[in-house]
Amino acid sequence: MKAFQFVEPQKPAELREVPVPEPGPGQVLVKVGGAGACHSDLHLMEAPPERVGGLPFTIGHENAGWVETLGPGVTGFAPGDPVIVYGPWGCGLCANCREGRENYCQTTGGLGGGLGGHAGGMAEYLLVPASRFLLPLGTLDPREAAPLSDAGLTSYHAVKRSLHLLGPGSTAVVIGAGGLGQMAIQILRALSAATTVVAVDTDAGKLEIAKSMGADEALVSGDQAVTRIKDMTRGQGAQLVLDMVGVDPTLRMAAQVARVLGHLTIVGLGGGALPVDFLSPPHECSVTSPYWGFIPELMEVVTLAQQQKIKMLVEYFPLERANEAYQLLHDGKIQGRAVITPHA
């Protein structure tokens, strides 16, 4: 079968021929419908050699498709079932995994397929090591649903942990209106109708999309955006600031527009550093960097999609054009999410 593989550090991935895997006991072979192209893949491919292991491996950690073959002992699924793949693959035995928090596995660190050590979904077939990592999609199209497993789940987890702050009259700021930011805006609208949602980006086109997805304000990043947010919140700042980019300028802005006792959540992997001193971020503003989300939360994300309360803007690419998709992503020319479709 064809697979898009990361072969050498700091070089583009390559389309290669690899054997179709055979599922062993407890495993499931999935025919890949869609695999999302994520910025974290770019960070991985650009990382220095000492930070990359297990080469070569197939990339793609945001996957959905159809059950192809069940390994011995697997129940609950049948060939042809549309499924989404939970991305972080934990040990299943530690305390965090037992609670469905496999993204914080105490043994594996929650690395899944496409991130080293296991083959990912940018191939015709994906071997999933345990059926507990599969969730039924019902009537959702796996090609469209694939980004729910990361862009949807990561954004959902980042918002849900702060819902207790988002009462009537509250404000949430989403810095970065790309794929994750667009999902965060919709999730804020779905879960917290009382919140004023502000989108911030440098791209006017993405800001227009943000408004169409429920943002009350769409601001061009910069000092004027900081002033506007301060004015909107009577000088107090936002209860929740989600930085979906994570570079130095966005982190500085996040600290400026957060409020005392608020939440500043760093989702983006841009490699920036948050400036911290006695006055910044504001007093007792909680700063966190969540990783992905929990299995029960992915179930809730799928339900929201089934109810048509959230939807990812997707652009499809066949497997042969995967490098093109990543170049467009690198250049900021993907408005939502690029999805690789091996069986298009």
Side-chain angles (χ1 to χ4, degrees):
M1 68 174 183
K2 295 179 180 178
F4 191 59
Q5 292 201 319
F6 184 21
V7 180
E8 294 186 58
Q10 299 181 323
K11 290 189 177 180
E14 304 174 11
L15 193 62
R16 308 174 80 201
E17 286 288 336
V18 300
V20 177
E22 290 285 337
Q27 299 178 336
V28 180
L29 187 68
V30 172
K31 180 180 178 180
V32 178
C38 179
H39 269 102
S40 57
D41 298 326
L42 290 175
H43 296 312
L44 190 66
M45 286 187 272
E46 294 166 358
E50 62 270 17
R51 294 182 55 189
V52 180
L55 298 177
F57 62 84
T58 304
I59 63 174
H61 58 270
E62 193 177 70
N63 307 306
W66 302 270
V67 172
E68 179 73 10
T69 309
L70 301 174
V74 176
T75 60
F77 295 97
D81 285 350
V83 292
I84 192 167
V85 183
Y86 178 72
W89 295 345
C91 68
L93 300 174
C94 70
N96 290 345
C97 285
R98 293 290 192 179
E99 293 179 344
R101 303 179 181 188
E102 303 219 13
N103 52 320
Y104 297 136
C105 176
Q106 295 161 286
T107 302
T108 68
L111 289 178
L115 294 172
H118 296 278
M122 289 197 184
E124 295 175 74
Y125 296 94
L126 168 64
L127 182 64
V128 180
S131 61
R132 71 178 185 277
F133 299 131
L134 299 179
L135 297 177
L137 279 175
T139 59
L140 294 178
D141 183 344
R143 300 176 183 87
E144 186 174 337
L148 297 176
S149 64
D150 183 5
L153 176 58
T154 298
S155 300
Y156 185 85
H157 179 74
V159 169
K160 187 177 179 181
R161 67 179 301 277
S162 300
L163 282 179
H164 64 285
L165 299 179
L166 303 179
S170 62
T171 300
V173 175
V174 180
I175 301 175
L180 269 74
Q182 292 165 19
M183 291 301 300
I185 290 164
Q186 295 176 78
I187 290 164
L188 282 161
R189 284 274 75 96
L191 301 185
S192 178
T195 300
T196 297
V197 179
V198 181
V200 180
D201 204 289
T202 58
D203 186 316
K206 290 179 181 176
L207 289 174
E208 285 300 315
I209 294 171
K211 291 193 74 172
S212 73
M213 291 183 166
D216 299 291
E217 293 262 355
L219 306 175
V220 176
S221 183
D223 292 340
Q224 291 184 340
V226 173
T227 300
R228 174 59 181 150
I229 293 167
K230 286 288 192 178
D231 289 344
M232 291 172 57
T233 58
R234 300 180 182 180
Q236 297 298 303
Q239 281 82 358
L240 172 62
V241 181
L242 297 169
D243 186 347
M244 317 305 274
V245 184
V247 295
D248 287 339
T250 61
L251 289 167
R252 284 196 298 271
M253 174 182 289
Q256 288 177 290
V257 300
R259 72 163 54 195
V260 169
L261 296 171
H263 280 183
L264 194 170
T265 302
I266 304 168
V267 180
L269 300 177
L274 178 70
V276 176
D277 58 32
F278 184 73
L279 296 176
S280 179
H283 296 308
E284 295 198 43
C285 177
S286 172
V287 178
T288 189
S289 55
Y291 175 64
W292 236 321
F294 309 149
I295 290 178
E297 290 176 332
L298 182 56
M299 297 171 69
E300 295 166 7
V301 169
V302 170
T303 297
L304 287 176
Q306 290 170 337
Q307 295 172 342
Q308 300 184 356
K309 293 182 178 180
I310 60 172
K311 184 176 182 179
M312 176 63 74
L313 179 65
V314 296
E315 185 173 348
Y316 298 117
F317 295 81
L319 197 55
E320 292 76 11
R321 293 176 60 203
N323 263 324
E324 178 187 347
Y326 277 106
Q327 186 60 54
L328 291 170
L329 181 64
H330 179 273
D331 296 341
K333 296 181 179 179
I334 298 294
Q335 294 296 322
R337 202 62 150 183
V339 174
I340 309 303
T341 55
H343 291 278

